[in-house]
Amino acid sequence: MPETRKRPTRRSWAEPWKVKVVEPVRWTSREQRERALDDAGFNTFLMRSEDVYIDLLTDSGTSAMSDYQWAGMMLGDESYAGSRNFYHLEAAIQKYYGYRYIVPTHQGRGAEHILSRMLIKPGDFVPGNMYFTTTRLHQELAGGTFVDVVIDEAHDPRAWLPFKGNVDLNKLEALIEKVGADKIPYVSLAATVNMAGGQPVSMQNVRELRALCDRYGIRIMLDATRAVENAYFIQQRDEDYRGVPVAAILQELCSYTDGCTMSGKKDSLVNIGGWLALNDPALFDEARNMVVVYEGLHTYGGMSGRDMEAMARGIEESVQDDHIRARVGQVEYLGMNLLEWSIPIVEPIGGHAIYLDAARFYPHIPQDQFPAQTLAAELYLDSGVRSMERGVVSAGRDPATGDHRYPKLELVRLTIPRRVYTQAHMDVVAESVDAVFEEGKKTRGLRMVYEPKYLRFFQARFERL
Ligand SMILES: *Cc1c(COP(=O)(O)O)cnc(C)c1O
């Protein structure tokens, strides 16, 4: 053997599972994709999934369940009241998240609705570390005004900070001083921050937030949708937590908050489900009262017994270190490929998605011609990869002025479902993004031809300019 034998410079890791069931996906021709995109009004939310090759629209409810979860589906207790699966779910949440009282809901926004209706009075202000679409809408429908108190760097796609989702405590304190603590029912704390690119908050920041809120008697309500991913980043990026199990970090994070809303469709590895958790028995009483009006009895809240069992088991799997490392690791794999080819993405790479910086793909397309919506369309045309706009369309209109809200970030999200795609799929995606980036200057923007009143990004329609 020659002495110069070339050896790999890396030792790879692989997912802690193997595939047992497969679902075919279909490759389409460019003509088919042109037609599908036209039919969908250039909105990826309006496409049929059958026309999609690799579906990175969302990581919401798109996870692959394990054999252990599927086995649990057969153990569904579909009694109207007191299903045994509810008690399993309640126990899993108490064990891994540490909250006392649990109200199941059909998904995250069901929990947000109940929480907002319970705590927000007209004229109140709800500070949070960047808005989330459904979260803010429920706060507004309850009469509140959302106030962004995330650190400035979160709005800068190029600022490299390990905890770019942190709350700016000075902004928060300034708001408290301005409007008074009695106008602030709670701080809406997201971990990780979806709209900033899946950026985490630090444990230190949450601890300091707790201290500040204690001084003013203000509650902290966590959006725990991706808190396991946040806990993983704390383990990776904070010296003090090196080697601490993600499950322990998650518990500590939650312990600084008074309750949470949860979309089980993300971290918890299920296709549907959510919950509200509270530590205050009086609030729990009220929430249990409201859930029967809007969701279902307090022991199912819109879920079937088998759904609750799958989620109880999914929670247990979601906090295992090897699972969460592979989940975030796959996102990093895609992101590192793109960075190597100098594709503009939000940095640092977040927990659940790669965010393409559409403003730098299309510097010639003004924001009112929807650069991110355009980029999502072009990516689909190139390869059948479905992504999602997170820019001016998602930001909606200002309820006071009726104008577009122009967010600083004009992004396209490539969201990675959990345990669904392989490294080869990620390679196809990366190469397609590169091809679309290369075409940049030739691309024209869009005009909105139909605009729904609420959460317009879901159903708006566009035409090419
Ligand atoms: C998905 C999501 C929600 C809403 O949850 P649904 O289950 O889709 O209703 C709330 N907050 C964040 C951060 C989310 O990602």
Side-chain angles (χ1 to χ4, degrees):
M1 197 171 290
E3 258 173 55
T4 55
R5 183 174 81 84
K6 200 169 160 225
R7 297 200 55 210
T9 52
R10 59 166 200 273
R11 291 299 298 265
S12 295
W13 54 267
E15 286 78 2
W17 41 260
K18 55 184 176 174
V19 177
K20 178 142 50 185
V21 178
V22 297
E23 175 184 341
V25 290
R26 191 166 69 108
W27 175 251
T28 47
S29 68
R30 175 97 189 180
E31 291 69 43
Q32 285 171 318
R33 292 196 293 275
E34 297 266 8
R35 209 173 320 120
L37 193 64
D38 249 16
D39 289 348
F42 286 78
N43 186 344
T44 51
F45 279 103
L46 298 177
M47 314 199 69
R48 290 169 186 252
S49 71
E50 283 183 345
D51 294 326
V52 173
Y53 179 45
I54 299 174
D55 202 347
L56 307 186
L57 182 74
T58 174
D59 64 338
S60 179
T62 53
S63 298
M65 293 209 294
S66 66
D67 53 0
Y68 178 61
Q69 287 177 287
W70 278 108
M73 296 286 280
M74 288 304 291
L75 302 174
D77 168 4
E78 307 305 342
S79 312
Y80 189 88
S83 159
R84 94 168 81 84
N85 311 115
F86 167 73
Y87 298 103
H88 295 169
L89 175 62
E90 183 185 48
I93 297 165
Q94 287 166 339
K95 178 172 175 188
Y96 293 108
Y97 288 82
Y99 298 110
R100 237 166 279 159
Y101 307 112
I102 314 305
V103 179
T105 59
H106 75 287
Q107 61 184 88
R109 69 198 71 181
E112 291 170 345
H113 176 214
I114 292 173
L115 183 74
S116 302
R117 292 273 293 243
M118 253 186 349
L119 291 180
I120 300 171
K121 295 184 304 302
D124 279 352
F125 296 86
V126 186
N129 49 344
M130 204 174 269
Y131 84 99
F132 183 75
T133 52
T134 58
T135 318
R136 181 177 65 190
L137 180 58
H138 280 297
Q139 291 162 357
E140 289 174 350
L141 289 173
T145 302
F146 176 81
V147 181
D148 189 359
V149 294
V150 76
I151 56 172
D152 286 339
E153 290 89 338
H155 294 280
D156 176 357
R158 280 185 267 195
W160 212 104
L161 288 183
F163 295 103
K164 213 172 148 178
N166 277 352
V167 176
D168 185 328
L169 298 171
N170 292 324
K171 281 187 199 168
L172 175 58
E173 195 153 20
L175 177 75
I176 299 170
E177 245 128 56
K178 189 169 142 215
V179 305
D182 56 331
K183 286 269 179 234
I184 301 179
Y186 60 93
V187 172
S188 183
L189 174 70
T192 59
V193 183
N194 188 346
M195 300 300 272
Q199 305 295 334
V201 297
S202 72
M203 197 71 93
Q204 180 68 18
N205 186 244
V206 179
R207 239 182 258 129
E208 288 170 6
L209 175 67
R210 179 74 270 171
L212 177 66
C213 288
D214 279 348
R215 262 193 281 134
Y216 290 97
I218 297 173
R219 290 189 177 94
I220 303 172
M221 291 298 173
L222 178 67
D223 183 338
T225 297
R226 293 188 176 80
V228 181
E229 289 165 9
N230 199 110
Y232 174 73
F233 282 120
I234 292 173
Q235 185 197 57
Q236 295 300 304
R237 294 179 184 175
D238 183 340
E239 292 276 310
D240 295 346
Y241 290 89
R242 187 113 345 128
V244 178
V246 163
I249 299 172
L250 176 71
Q251 272 229 349
E252 185 185 338
L253 186 70
C254 295
S255 75
Y256 300 125
T257 69
D258 299 288
C260 79
T261 54
M262 177 71 187
S263 171
K265 305 172 69 172
K266 321 287 172 60
D267 269 355
S268 305
L269 299 163
V270 290
N271 304 123
I272 193 73
W275 39 271
L276 172 65
L278 297 159
N279 285 335
D280 177 340
L283 273 185
F284 171 56
D285 229 39
E286 199 180 334
R288 239 174 25 151
N289 225 285
M290 282 183 72
V291 78
V292 299
V293 181
Y294 295 107
E295 302 280 320
L297 195 72
H298 56 273
T299 53
Y300 76 83
M303 281 182 282
S304 61
R306 53 183 175 268
D307 289 338
M308 292 190 283
E309 187 63 31
M311 187 148 67
R313 293 175 180 221
I315 288 171
E316 187 184 329
E317 292 180 352
S318 73
V319 300
Q320 305 304 318
D321 282 36
D322 59 353
H323 159 74
I324 193 68
R325 185 187 60 168
R327 189 284 184 280
V328 178
Q330 187 174 43
V331 178
E332 278 170 351
Y333 173 81
L334 174 60
M336 294 308 283
N337 263 323
L338 295 173
L339 284 175
E340 204 176 308
W341 303 333
S342 306
I343 306 287
I345 66 172
V346 173
E347 287 181 82
I349 295 165
H352 66 293
I354 297 300
Y355 289 73
L356 306 175
D357 187 354
R360 279 188 282 160
F361 273 68
Y362 304 135
H364 60 291
I365 300 182
Q367 210 170 4
D368 62 2
Q369 293 176 15
F370 314 111
Q373 191 79 30
T374 306
L375 177 53
E378 291 299 325
L379 190 60
Y380 172 76
L381 278 180
D382 182 74
S383 60
V385 170
R386 172 155 70 172
S387 57
M388 177 197 297
E389 193 259 14
R390 277 297 182 228
V392 64
V393 183
S394 294
R397 288 184 187 272
D398 187 310
T401 66
D403 293 337
H404 291 309
R405 288 193 257 225
Y406 289 102
K408 289 205 187 93
L409 299 178
E410 184 68 23
L411 307 175
V412 164
R413 190 178 82 179
L414 303 169
T415 335
I416 316 301
R418 296 163 187 80
R419 308 192 292 205
V420 170
Y421 291 115
T422 66
Q423 190 163 319
H425 289 111
M426 295 302 111
D427 290 341
V428 169
V429 172
E431 291 155 26
S432 177
V433 169
D434 173 78
V436 168
F437 182 65
E438 197 55 29
E439 288 294 301
K441 278 167 216 70
K442 286 182 233 154
T443 308
R444 280 169 295 133
L446 298 170
R447 165 178 58 193
M448 201 187 308
V449 293
Y450 166 69
E451 179 173 357
K453 187 159 167 221
Y454 297 117
L455 302 175
R456 63 180 183 178
F457 59 95
F458 282 132
Q459 289 154 340
R461 299 182 71 87
F462 303 83
E463 278 171 10
R464 220 192 266 291
L465 279 168

